[in-house]
Amino acid sequence: MTAIKGNIWAEKVQMKTMVSCTNMLDKLGFKTHFMAVPKGLKSLTTEYIYRPEDVRILNFYRFEGESNPDDSAILYAIETANGERGTLADAYGRESDEDVMHFIQQVEDIEKKVDKDKSL
């Protein structure tokens, strides 16, 4: 898997919404949108279905609805074994997608970057 070129750490103001975070990741080469399906993680660009061992989660971001804390979401920054990079979004908590939850639980390489001075 390749390393990220560029620093994905932005000021907190730029990361407040899922849209701004998705746009930032897109600029860093996370172009593909992924969807969890019963057989794995499907690239909506190539239609390829990845197994959990073929996926690395480089970072993830949680978002809460301003008016309703139950209106929460999570965005995963993903890189695959063949270098395809993109995002997977899901509701967080009770409303989460069962296929996403099942797939993410099987992924062994999950990172969370918390130091703004480090790049992905």
Side-chain angles (χ1 to χ4, degrees):
M1 294 191 192
T2 60
I4 300 298
K5 290 181 173 52
N7 187 333
I8 71 151
W9 298 108
E11 293 300 318
K12 190 173 183 177
V13 171
Q14 295 173 324
M15 302 294 282
K16 281 191 174 188
T17 68
M18 185 179 290
V19 171
S20 63
C21 190
T22 302
N23 289 340
M24 183 264 314
L25 289 168
D26 184 70
K27 289 177 185 175
L28 292 171
F30 292 82
K31 303 285 186 185
T32 298
H33 293 285
F34 292 102
M35 178 176 72
V37 295
K39 293 184 178 182
L41 190 69
K42 181 178 182 178
S43 164
L44 299 182
T45 301
T46 65
E47 302 287 317
Y48 189 86
I49 297 177
Y50 295 95
R51 300 174 312 218
E53 58 269 22
D54 297 327
V55 169
R56 181 175 168 210
I57 297 174
L58 299 177
N59 210 344
F60 57 92
Y61 310 88
R62 284 187 55 196
F63 305 92
E64 279 190 12
E66 287 186 32
S67 61
N68 183 356
D70 288 337
D71 186 19
S72 299
I74 189 164
L75 181 67
Y76 298 96
I78 293 174
E79 182 177 53
T80 67
N82 66 357
E84 188 171 10
R85 294 190 302 182
T87 57
L88 171 66
D90 190 23
Y92 196 82
R94 292 181 294 177
E95 302 298 321
S96 67
D97 182 293
E98 227 176 272
D99 288 333
V100 173
M101 186 172 62
H102 180 71
F103 184 84
I104 296 299
Q105 287 173 344
Q106 294 180 59
V107 175
E108 293 184 11
D109 195 353
I110 301 176
E111 299 177 30
K112 175 63 183 162
K113 304 295 185 197
V114 293
D115 185 347
K116 289 185 180 183
D117 294 330
K118 293 184 179 180
S119 61
L120 259 180

